[in-house]
Amino acid sequence: MATEEIPMDKWKNIDWKKIEKNVFKLQRRIYRASNRGDQKTVYRLQKLLTKSRSAKLLAVRRVTQDNQGKKTAGIDGIKSLTPSQRYTLASNLKIGRRASPVRRVWIPKPGTSEKRGLGIPTMYDRALQTLIKSTLEPEWEARFENNSYGFRPARSCHDAIEAIFNAIKQKAKWVLDADIAKCFDRIDQKALLKKINTIPVIRRQIKAWLKAGMVDNGELYPTKEGVPQGGTVSPLLMNIALHGLETVIKTRSQYNGRMKVNSPIVVRYADDLVILHEEKKVIEQCQSITSEWLKEMGLELKPSKTKIVHTLKKSEAGVGFDFLGFSIRQYRVGKTKSGKTSHGKLLGFKTFIKPSKQAIKNHTQRLKEEVCKQKAGKQEELIKILNPIIVGWCNFYSTVVSKKIFGKIGTNLFATLLAWATRRHPKKSKTWIAKKYWRIIKGKGWIFQPTDNDRRLTKHVETPIKRHQKVQGHRSPYDGDWVYWSKRLGCYPRIPKRVARLLKEQKGKCRECGLFFTEADLIEIDHIFPKEIGGLDI
């Protein structure tokens, strides 16, 4: 870095809205060029974006300010930067420099005794990876398959769950529930670089990161295979490595080698995937196709986490399956509760997606642990700790059949809190304890709340259940349909947030003529939100 002092106000006075718009415009052009197969234009625009001052400033901001893992240091020991240092870093950011080794950090895997290794790059490499990601992501967003959801912009695990629900809601199916063994650590680097097929300067930089090595307990280890998990660009590289699996499965799958059948449905979230079809033989064939295809990238399925089950019937591996913390299964029901086909025919079963047993167990255990830590703490502090945990978990499972489970967890938590309060006052009656720590609010029942404070414990059952709307097919935030994404996300880089909010409320409908509109219509019709939009550059 340069040693000259940069005024602090120079970073603070940057017009970030303009910066985001400039970067997004270039990314949108890359997406469109990739979508129409114009690779020459893609390469030209990618070179332009890597040299863009706006892209460099935005990359540094996301690494040093917006990213939650910004305080984790690499081998350089840098955890935070001052505004003047951020500006200097953005000015010195250049592709083609030698990459530094990553620092190995071991974190526990949720629900298991195993540990996952993360590679933490230096602050400079993190900013450079973010710049490379902003360049490659629009190109590959135009190519990625419809049912790929993990580590992609504006796509979540709820979209993957909704895709599974849409696949089985009308018909019970066999499922290949598969997991790729140590996906990040075993990717063939040569095959990955060949598949990326980008401009030489970016290819050399990615290769430098892959070959940089890893420092664990002061010792340097070479990285001959795999992608260091923990960098900004590594999730994108993993998605590129697994791109094409869905297409291969759909094109190669046959029944008895002669009769073509309905294509199996493949839903992938990062390295977890499920394949669904009504015929078991097709699923078995898909398993062999998947294993064969993965060998090309140096990968294989994990036998202990790969199984074939049925969503309705009993099989050797049981009934139903767990995916991304959700339990997916179908139950036989009577005609009054049975689901129906689009023609009104009774199915004889009902599809239920609920929080998995392991997820419920982990959440209940965490609540108990937090309560135990506050044995001598104040009630207000305990509420302050528990509320974010309860709200976050309930919001995650608020899109599926969770109301009864919320009630059961709430009952268990009440018993835990009652034990916590009784331990503090062993000589007092339960009635006295209840009056001290709980309030009765009309319409809400017993509320865990102190007498001298308005802070109260949020109940699990207070979270409303609302079905998640799956992202449409091949949609991407880079496609330019800002009406769709403003309604879906509540914001969009090219329009003010207040306009996005109005679009979301009015659902893309003109308040004067009553007609629905799109971006193309907005260019010609100037009476849609005339005051709010003003001279907005579309």
Side-chain angles (χ1 to χ4, degrees):
M1 290 188 184
T3 56
E4 60 176 330
E5 289 292 329
I6 305 290
M8 189 178 293
D9 293 341
K10 198 165 186 179
W11 177 267
K12 292 185 176 180
N13 293 333
I14 294 174
D15 187 354
W16 290 109
K17 289 185 179 179
K18 185 178 180 181
I19 293 292
E20 288 183 357
K21 287 180 182 178
N22 292 340
V23 175
F24 182 75
K25 284 179 181 178
L26 268 177
Q27 288 178 321
R28 184 179 169 187
R29 290 173 65 188
I30 293 172
Y31 176 88
R32 288 183 169 180
S34 178
N35 209 19
R36 64 175 181 264
D38 188 355
Q39 203 63 31
K40 186 177 180 180
T41 303
V42 170
Y43 292 158
R44 179 174 58 83
L45 292 173
Q46 285 178 338
K47 287 182 181 178
L48 188 62
L49 188 59
T50 56
K51 298 177 182 179
S52 167
R53 175 179 175 271
S54 297
K56 292 178 181 179
L57 288 170
L58 190 59
V60 172
R61 176 186 170 89
R62 287 176 176 169
V63 167
T64 60
Q65 287 182 257
D66 301 339
N67 190 5
Q68 293 181 355
K70 60 188 176 185
K71 293 184 179 180
T72 306
I75 63 171
D76 56 353
I78 298 176
K79 292 185 178 180
S80 60
L81 298 176
T82 63
S84 59
Q85 288 174 331
R86 292 170 194 157
Y87 196 90
T88 304
L89 176 60
S91 302
N92 295 336
L93 211 59
K94 186 178 180 181
I95 296 177
R97 293 193 178 183
R98 184 178 178 180
S100 302
V102 297
R103 183 170 73 93
R104 191 74 160 181
V105 177
W106 296 93
I107 61 171
K109 281 188 176 182
T112 64
S113 58
E114 299 179 14
K115 288 190 176 182
R116 177 188 290 117
L118 296 183
I120 310 300
T122 61
M123 190 67 74
Y124 181 90
D125 281 338
R126 268 183 270 183
L128 199 56
Q129 285 185 18
T130 305
L131 178 63
I132 294 293
K133 181 185 176 184
S134 66
T135 305
L136 290 177
E137 193 173 63
E139 176 192 357
W140 283 93
E141 276 295 308
R143 301 184 189 181
F144 283 146
E145 294 145 328
N146 293 351
N147 283 325
S148 166
Y149 299 99
F151 303 121
R152 291 183 59 187
R155 287 175 176 247
S156 65
C157 60
H158 295 100
D159 292 309
I161 295 299
E162 195 64 22
I164 294 173
F165 176 78
N166 292 337
I168 64 175
K169 65 180 180 181
Q170 298 278 327
K171 196 167 188 178
K173 293 182 179 180
W174 288 92
V175 181
L176 172 64
D177 181 13
D179 179 73
I180 301 173
K182 296 183 179 180
C183 183
F184 281 93
D185 298 333
R186 295 182 179 177
I187 293 176
D188 189 323
Q189 295 178 356
K190 289 184 179 179
L192 175 61
L193 290 170
K194 184 179 179 181
K195 197 170 186 178
I196 293 174
N197 190 30
T198 185
I199 55 179
V201 65
I202 295 180
R203 185 183 183 278
R204 285 195 296 268
Q205 186 64 66
I206 294 175
K207 185 178 180 180
W209 285 324
L210 296 177
K211 301 291 185 182
M214 193 172 298
V215 176
D216 191 0
N217 292 326
E219 294 186 17
L220 178 63
Y221 296 92
T223 50
K224 297 180 180 179
E225 61 179 6
V227 177
Q229 189 175 358
T232 310
V233 77
S234 46
L236 175 61
L237 297 181
M238 187 271 296
N239 271 332
I240 294 174
L242 297 180
H243 170 66
L245 177 60
E246 180 181 346
T247 305
V248 167
I249 291 173
K250 287 186 176 182
T251 53
R252 291 187 188 176
S253 60
Q254 302 180 55
Y255 182 55
N256 288 337
R258 300 186 303 275
M259 182 178 63
K260 287 279 185 179
V261 295
N262 295 329
S263 297
I265 297 172
V266 183
V267 178
R268 182 175 65 83
Y269 187 90
D271 56 346
D272 294 325
L273 69 136
V274 292
I275 305 174
L276 307 103
H277 198 271
E278 50 265 30
E279 297 289 344
K280 187 177 181 180
K281 289 187 178 180
V282 174
I283 292 296
E284 291 172 346
Q285 187 185 35
C286 288
Q287 183 175 0
S288 61
I289 292 171
T290 303
S291 299
E292 182 182 348
W293 187 88
L294 288 174
K295 288 179 182 178
E296 299 174 5
M297 297 302 301
L299 301 172
E300 63 179 1
L301 295 177
K302 192 172 185 178
S304 60
K305 290 189 176 181
T306 301
K307 58 182 180 179
I308 296 177
V309 297
H310 196 268
T311 56
L312 181 62
K313 302 174 184 177
K314 284 187 178 181
S315 61
E316 295 178 0
V319 185
F321 62 101
D322 292 348
F323 189 66
L324 303 177
F326 294 85
S327 175
I328 303 166
R329 185 179 169 182
Q330 293 169 327
Y331 298 85
R332 296 194 184 277
V333 293
K335 61 180 181 180
T336 56
K337 296 184 178 181
S338 172
K340 295 181 180 180
T341 64
S342 56
H343 302 291
K345 184 180 177 181
L346 293 177
L347 297 172
F349 63 85
K350 193 82 171 178
T351 302
F352 285 102
I353 300 179
K354 302 179 288 186
S356 67
K357 291 182 179 179
Q358 188 62 44
I360 296 170
K361 182 181 177 181
N362 292 343
H363 179 61
T364 306
Q365 185 63 31
R366 187 182 178 189
L367 292 176
K368 287 182 180 180
E369 289 175 357
E370 294 297 337
V371 172
C372 289
K373 289 179 184 178
Q374 296 293 320
K375 287 181 179 179
K378 295 182 179 179
Q379 183 182 11
E380 182 183 354
E381 289 298 319
L382 178 59
I383 293 171
K384 186 178 179 180
I385 293 170
L386 292 180
N387 271 348
I389 299 172
I390 294 171
V391 172
W393 195 85
C394 289
N395 285 342
F396 184 76
Y397 290 105
S398 63
T399 62
V400 295
V401 187
S402 306
K403 206 66 176 181
K404 287 185 178 179
I405 293 173
F406 287 169
K408 290 180 181 179
I409 295 175
T411 303
N412 292 335
L413 180 59
F414 176 82
T416 304
L417 293 173
L418 184 60
W420 172 85
T422 304
R423 183 184 177 278
R424 298 162 70 90
H425 308 280
K427 296 182 180 181
K428 298 292 184 179
S429 65
K430 294 272 181 81
T431 304
W432 185 92
I433 292 172
K435 287 182 180 180
K436 179 173 176 60
Y437 291 100
W438 276 268
R439 306 285 157 263
I440 299 178
I441 299 178
K442 190 176 181 181
K444 293 185 178 179
W446 290 82
I447 302 296
F448 190 69
Q449 180 181 359
T451 54
D452 57 345
N453 200 295
D454 293 335
R455 188 188 295 273
R456 68 180 186 87
L457 185 70
T458 303
K459 286 187 172 184
H460 288 76
V461 292
E462 291 179 8
T463 305
I465 303 298
K466 186 178 180 181
R467 176 68 68 183
H468 177 77
Q469 293 294 325
K470 186 180 113 36
V471 64
Q472 293 178 359
H474 199 63
R475 291 277 194 174
S476 171
Y478 301 113
D479 61 13
D481 191 346
W482 63 276
V483 173
Y484 173 80
W485 289 108
S486 297
K487 289 188 292 181
R488 183 171 180 84
L489 301 178
C491 62
Y492 204 58
R494 301 193 66 195
I495 63 173
K497 288 186 178 180
R498 64 182 186 278
V499 181
R501 187 179 66 254
L502 291 169
L503 286 169
K504 194 172 184 180
E505 292 173 356
Q506 299 193 22
K507 298 181 179 179
K509 188 177 181 181
C510 175
R511 60 188 173 192
E512 293 191 12
C513 65
L515 298 175
F516 287 89
F517 61 88
T518 62
E519 180 183 358
D521 300 327
L522 192 60
I523 298 173
E524 300 177 0
I525 303 174
D526 58 358
H527 64 270
I528 301 172
F529 303 129
K531 295 180 181 179
E532 291 80 358
I533 290 183
L536 180 66
D537 178 23
I538 299 300

